Amino acid sequence: MRALQWTGVNELSVGEVPDPELLDDRDVIVKVRRTVTCGSDLHLLGGYIPFMRSGDVLGHEFLGDVVEVGSAVRNHRVGDRVVVSSFVACGQCWYCRQELYSLCDNGNRNPAITEGLWGFAPGGCYGYSHAMGGYIGSHAQYVRVPFADVGAFTVPGDVTDERALFASDAAATGWTGADLGGVSPGDVVAVWGAGGVGQMAARAAMLLGAERVFVIDPLEERLAMTRRYVGCDTLREGTDDVGAALLEATAGRGPDVCIEAVGMEAGGGSPLEDAYDRTKQYLRLQTDRPTALRHAIYHCRKGGSVFVLGVFAALADKFPLGAVMNKGLTVRGAQMHGQRYIPMLLERMQRGELVTEHLATHVMPLDEGPRGYEMFKTKEDGCVRAVFLPNG
Ligand SMILES: NC(=O)c1ccc[n+]([C@@H]2O[C@H](COP(=O)([O-])OP(=O)(O)OC[C@H]3O[C@@H](n4cnc5c(N)ncnc54)[C@H](O)[C@@H]3O)[C@@H](O)[C@H]2O)c1
Ligand SMILES: [Zn+2]
Ligand SMILES: [Zn+2]
């Protein structure tokens, strides 16, 4: 089959790889209709997560048709149109029973790397390096889906492919941040990052009853998209006085919940802060640039909550621990728990409460994947997400 492969730092190519096969009775094989780029893939592309091997197939967000079914699968049949959670989870371990699916003890076939790095291994993720399970990714014509009864969800007939695709990851990630960040009715919420994840976190906060939601990003075109399709307020990092605007909206207190949806390749901040972080990351004296996280912690109200949705690899310098402690903040983070939210997200998509298709700014055949990634990385032509059609 055709697949988009990582062949080195900032190097991609489309080639032939073996078709996937059922390896376990709980597997299904999905013929991919649509698969989409994610900010997380940029960290792999740029070499910031050093556990890729040349030839690895990228991609973790996808929707398609079930074409083969293992003998123990109960919920799916050949022909089902399914959207699949980007994280692989067994549904039975202690973590899955707490609905913390991305922490599944059985989702990562190769836990040694992350156990060494973080103490314990989280679950696995399609196409997301050998540290996260070494699964073959979804930028391919077919994907093997393990634990299919748990991770694949039949899409209601009246929800389009274009919309449902984003239940796989971006929408579920946004919901994870707003829900576990503790957004409550009446809250003021600030979200750093207006990519697919930040926009979906803002929409989730609105649907959970936030009174006012701000999305902050340096890119005006993404902010304009956010105002139009998400329907919340925006602030331009580097131009607007973000602090003053957030204070004004909260009677001088600051936002109740601050969601970081930028991650380890953040820009922004003062020129000194930016140069410091880039130099330390370049010299491998830190793995992550936590600029937006620092801002979220700084602007959050006393006693408020900061949620880290952006992906971080290991160590970040100048972490404002004093602010966390003295302001009584709660800081949490997570990879998304798709299995927990996807059925509810599909219902909201069906009712038109959750609109996602505007994120797919560029749609193309899989063979044009390298160009799609280049556009997504450089944000050329307003690219927010490149969607690939592996089977035409
Ligand atoms: N937790 C999860 O399960 C999960 C799932 C998917 C993606 N992610 C992560 O979420 C993050 C965002 O993903 P995305 O797909 O939206 O990425 P993206 O690259 O499309 O968007 C990131 C946005 O952050 C903006 N930005 C950069 N510096 C900023 C700053 N200082 N302040 C405000 N905004 C700033 C950029 O301009 C860009 O618009 C990434 O780190 C990605 O890896 C996490
Ligand atoms: Zn993703
Ligand atoms: Zn599990």
Side-chain angles (χ1 to χ4, degrees):
M1 65 171 179
R2 307 285 289 164
L4 179 70
Q5 295 168 282
W6 186 95
T7 46
V9 173
N10 291 317
E11 271 180 41
L12 297 172
S13 65
V14 178
E16 288 289 325
V17 300
D19 286 350
E21 291 173 8
L22 298 174
L23 298 179
D24 184 281
D25 291 347
R26 294 165 291 184
D27 294 352
V28 301
I29 304 292
V30 168
K31 182 175 182 185
V32 179
R33 287 181 180 225
R34 282 173 188 256
T35 177
V36 57
T37 61
C38 170
S40 301
D41 297 316
L42 295 180
H43 312 323
L44 299 177
L45 190 62
Y48 294 100
I49 298 180
F51 301 106
M52 296 293 287
R53 294 184 199 143
S54 181
D56 284 349
V57 177
L58 282 179
H60 56 267
E61 314 192 2
F62 61 106
L63 169 143
D65 299 303
V66 174
V67 291
E68 275 183 70
V69 181
S71 60
V73 173
R74 296 286 163 265
N75 298 342
H76 297 293
R77 295 172 179 203
V78 170
D80 282 1
R81 185 173 62 120
V82 294
V83 63
V84 179
S85 171
S86 60
F87 261 77
V88 177
C90 75
Q92 290 179 332
C93 72
W94 189 88
Y95 289 99
C96 285
R97 290 201 307 273
Q98 319 295 312
E99 294 189 296
L100 301 172
Y101 292 98
S102 67
L103 305 180
C104 174
D105 267 338
N106 299 314
N108 187 340
R109 302 177 302 177
N110 186 17
I113 298 173
T114 47
E115 273 176 12
L117 205 56
W118 301 325
F120 297 95
C125 180
Y126 298 94
Y128 212 75
S129 89
H130 295 269
M132 298 303 254
Y135 289 100
I136 296 171
S138 63
H139 295 340
Q141 290 183 292
Y142 298 90
V143 189
R144 169 183 163 250
V145 173
F147 308 114
D149 278 341
V150 183
F153 298 86
T154 300
V155 178
D158 50 355
V159 182
T160 61
D161 290 359
E162 289 84 344
R163 184 172 291 187
L165 170 63
F166 293 99
S168 179
D169 186 285
T173 301
W175 205 279
T176 300
D179 184 26
L180 302 188
V183 172
S184 310
D187 279 354
V188 175
V189 177
V191 179
W192 274 261
V197 171
Q199 291 189 35
M200 290 297 109
R203 187 65 193 147
M206 291 164 73
L207 291 168
L208 286 167
E211 184 184 290
R212 212 157 162 203
V213 178
F214 292 87
V215 170
I216 300 147
D217 199 289
L219 298 178
E220 176 49 34
E221 62 202 16
R222 290 191 172 201
L223 297 176
M225 175 189 267
T226 305
R227 289 192 296 274
R228 177 158 179 207
Y229 293 102
V230 176
C232 66
D233 290 297
T234 62
L235 294 167
R236 189 165 181 197
E237 161 72 17
T239 307
D240 291 333
D241 189 338
V242 171
L246 294 177
L247 289 178
E248 196 187 325
T250 55
R253 281 196 304 276
D256 303 288
V257 179
C258 292
I259 299 175
E260 196 277 0
V262 177
M264 61 196 287
E265 293 179 70
S270 70
L272 182 65
E273 184 183 10
D274 195 43
Y276 176 90
D277 278 322
R278 283 176 197 273
T279 307
K280 286 209 81 164
Q281 192 182 40
Y282 181 75
L283 295 174
R284 299 285 185 258
L285 295 170
Q286 66 176 357
T287 52
D288 305 282
R289 301 201 296 263
T291 325
L293 178 60
R294 289 192 200 110
H295 295 189
I297 289 173
Y298 181 82
H299 290 294
C300 192
R301 75 155 164 81
K302 293 182 282 184
S305 152
V306 174
F307 201 91
V308 188
L309 272 183
V311 162
F312 290 87
L315 301 170
D317 199 4
K318 302 282 182 289
F319 179 79
L321 191 56
V324 172
M325 187 273 157
N326 288 289
K327 292 205 295 179
L329 301 182
T330 300
V331 180
R332 289 185 76 176
Q335 298 280 7
M336 58 115 230
H337 302 305
Q339 289 83 346
R340 175 167 172 172
Y341 301 119
I342 289 173
M344 173 272 296
L345 295 172
L346 289 171
E347 280 175 25
R348 290 184 189 270
M349 288 176 175
Q350 205 172 11
R351 293 200 294 268
E353 294 171 11
L354 186 59
V355 172
T356 60
E357 50 272 26
H358 64 280
L359 299 174
T361 49
H362 295 76
V363 181
M364 59 192 75
L366 184 66
D367 280 351
E368 291 174 31
R371 185 177 70 85
Y373 264 98
E374 185 60 25
M375 294 180 80
F376 177 51
K377 186 182 167 86
T378 59
K379 301 172 174 71
E380 183 193 327
D381 192 32
C383 185
V384 173
R385 284 278 192 273
V387 173
F388 307 131
L389 310 173
N391 288 291

